[in-house]
Amino acid sequence: MVKVGIVGWRGMVGSVLMERMRKEGDFKGIDPVFFTTSQAGQAGPDIGKEIPVLQDGFDIDILQGMDIVLTCQGSDYTKKVHPKLRDTGWKGVWIDAASALRMADTSIIVLDPVNRQVIDKGFDAGIRDFIGGNCTVSLMLMALGGLFDAGQVEWITSMTYQAASGAGAKNMKELVSQMGAINDAAQPILDGPVAAVDTAVVETMRGAAFPTDNFGAPLAGSLIPWIDVPMENGQTREEWKGVAETNKILENETPIPIDGTCVRIGTMRCHSQAITVKLKDDLDVAEVERLIASANDWVKVVPNTKEETLKDLTPTAVTGTLTVPVGRIRKLNLGPGYITLFTVGDQLLWGAAEPVRRMLNIAVEKLSA
C-alpha cells in the first residue's frame, strides 16, 4: 500500500478532510501515518484500522519514508518543512491545503473537476507538488467551469460575500460572541420601540467591550470590505488571487482578466459571489444555464425565482454539502454578452478539503499503477 503521511488533521480544514475521508472509505486503500507538531507519541485518530502512534511532524527522516505527504497544517509549516524535505532528495508527492506553494513554478493548483488534464499532464511530467487553491477561486470555477470550457469568458468581475470560517476557527467563535453581545443588549428592550433597540445595538457594536480581537471590527450586524493584505495597485491579496490562481489552474497562455471586491460577512460558513461575466458571444440565458449545468456533477442551476432562490441559494442551504448552486442568472442591461449570476459554495469542502482529498486519491492511483 502507498504510505501517506497526514499532517494538520485536527484543524478546521483537516477535520473536514478527515470526515470526508472516513465517509468515502479513503483510508482503506492507503497505509496512513499521522503526524503532529506537538503531541508525538500519543495515540492517533480512530479511522477504523490500526495505525502507529503520532509521529513528529518536523522529523524529516520519518517524513522521507512517506510516498505522499498530505498537509493541512498551514503555510508556516510548509515553508519550514517542505524545502528541507525536498533538499534530502525526497521524490514523493506533496499535497497541501495551504497557500505557500500555490504560485510556485513547480506546483499545480488542484481542482480536478475543472483541471484534471492539467493535473495528469503535470504528474506525468514529474511535478510532485499539488496545492489546493483559494476558496473563492475554486468555488467560482466549480460554478462557471462550463463557460470556461466553452471558451466563452472574456472577463469576470466577482463581488464576494465570504464567511467567518474563511478566517479561521477563532474568528468563527468571535462572530458567535458578537452575536451574543448584540442579543444581550437588545433582548431586554426588544418589545419596546425599535429606535431604542437600534440605538442599543449600535452602541454595543461601537463599545470598547465588543469582541473584535480577531476581526479588528464588528462583523455581526455589519460587514468588513477588506480581506488579506494590501497590494500596491489597491487590491487586497485575496482579490489578486482571482486572476492569478484562476489562470494558473486553467493553464491559460493568455490570461483572462478577473477582478472584484472581497467582503467578509456575518455568516459562519459558505462563501457567496455575485459575478458579472462578459461573454464572447451574446448567448441567451437558456444556453448559459445549459453550459453551466453540464460542467460537473455538483453544480446546480437554480431557477431565477424568489421561491427557488430562498430555498437553494443561501449559505444555510449549502453548508455541509458539495452542491454548488448557481442562480439569479440573467442578462444585464449593459449590452450584448453581459450576464450576471449568484453562486454559493461551502468553502471548507470544495474551497479547501475536497480538492486535496481528491488529489490524494489521484496520486494513490497513479503511484499504485
Side-chain angles (χ1 to χ4, degrees):
M1 281 191 179
V2 175
K3 185 165 283 191
V4 180
I6 302 174
V7 195
W9 45 277
R10 285 194 186 91
M12 190 161 54
V13 174
S15 296
V16 174
L17 173 67
M18 292 286 289
E19 179 183 340
R20 288 288 298 139
M21 291 181 70
R22 289 189 186 100
K23 183 175 182 179
E24 297 296 332
D26 294 337
F27 291 113
K28 295 177 182 177
I30 62 174
D31 181 11
V33 179
F34 288 88
F35 287 80
T36 176
T37 58
S38 60
Q39 297 178 336
Q42 296 187 18
D46 180 7
I47 60 169
K49 63 192 290 188
E50 191 171 331
I51 57 173
V53 297
L54 298 177
Q55 303 297 308
D56 183 355
F58 296 107
D59 192 323
I60 301 300
D61 290 337
I62 300 176
L63 288 167
Q64 274 187 281
M66 302 297 111
D67 301 302
I68 299 171
V69 172
L70 171 57
T71 172
C72 301
Q73 186 66 29
S75 287
D76 288 343
Y77 177 82
T78 299
K79 291 173 184 177
K80 185 171 184 178
V81 172
H82 179 267
K84 292 180 180 179
L85 186 57
R86 288 296 185 205
D87 285 348
T88 67
W90 183 69
K91 303 297 184 183
V93 177
W94 180 276
I95 303 174
D96 200 334
S99 64
L101 297 174
R102 277 182 198 156
M103 299 309 296
D105 292 338
T106 55
S107 74
I108 288 175
I109 302 176
V110 294
L111 188 63
D112 71 283
V114 173
N115 72 337
R116 179 59 190 266
Q117 290 183 335
V118 174
I119 293 169
D120 288 339
K121 184 177 71 172
F123 199 100
D124 292 345
I127 288 178
R128 291 296 181 267
D129 291 340
F130 297 93
I131 317 302
N134 171 262
C135 44
T136 51
V137 171
S138 294
L139 292 170
M140 182 265 289
L141 285 170
M142 288 295 294
L144 301 186
L147 297 180
F148 284 100
D149 287 344
Q152 280 294 331
V153 179
E154 185 173 323
W155 55 258
I156 284 177
T157 178
S158 173
M159 306 303 171
T160 74
Y161 308 85
Q162 297 180 222
S165 51
K170 291 181 179 179
N171 296 69
M172 294 176 74
K173 293 178 180 179
E174 183 168 274
L175 174 59
V176 174
S177 295
Q178 291 184 357
M179 292 175 176
I182 291 172
N183 179 72
D184 290 345
Q187 195 63 43
I189 57 173
L190 208 53
D191 293 333
V194 68
V197 176
D198 181 48
T199 298
V201 169
V202 172
E203 288 179 351
T204 298
M205 293 168 65
R206 290 175 177 170
F210 199 68
T212 60
D213 288 346
N214 293 293
F215 283 115
L219 183 62
S222 188
L223 57 79
I224 302 172
W226 187 283
I227 300 175
D228 214 331
V229 298
M231 307 286 284
E232 289 185 359
N233 64 354
Q235 288 179 308
T236 66
R237 186 171 177 82
E238 185 77 1
E239 292 154 359
W240 167 83
K241 291 173 184 176
V243 65
E245 293 193 21
T246 297
N247 285 289
K248 182 171 183 179
I249 289 169
L250 298 176
E251 212 174 49
N252 288 331
E253 293 184 6
T254 302
I256 294 172
I258 299 173
D259 209 337
T261 301
C262 293
V263 181
R264 187 78 66 196
I265 64 168
T267 58
M268 289 291 283
R269 189 159 157 174
C270 287
H271 292 347
S272 306
Q273 301 180 66
I275 301 175
T276 296
V277 185
K278 176 61 172 72
L279 300 172
K280 292 183 179 178
D281 298 318
D282 187 22
L283 305 180
D284 59 31
V285 170
E287 178 62 7
V288 171
E289 290 178 341
R290 186 192 70 79
L291 289 173
I292 288 173
S294 67
N296 58 67
D297 293 336
W298 300 274
V299 67
K300 173 185 177 182
V301 171
V302 177
N304 190 19
T305 67
K306 180 179 180 180
E307 293 75 19
E308 296 295 329
T309 297
L310 295 184
K311 180 168 73 76
D312 293 331
L313 200 59
T314 67
T316 301
V318 175
T319 292
T321 77
L322 291 167
T323 302
V324 182
V326 184
R328 301 305 324 278
I329 303 171
R330 63 182 179 86
K331 288 193 170 188
L332 289 170
N333 296 323
L334 302 178
Y338 288 90
I339 64 164
T340 185
L341 54 89
F342 191 88
T343 182
V344 185
D346 191 323
Q347 93 289 352
L348 292 178
L349 286 168
W350 279 119
E354 192 65 9
V356 296
R357 185 194 75 82
R358 292 171 65 88
M359 185 61 223
L360 171 63
N361 289 330
I362 292 170
V364 169
E365 180 180 350
K366 288 181 176 296
L367 293 178
S368 302

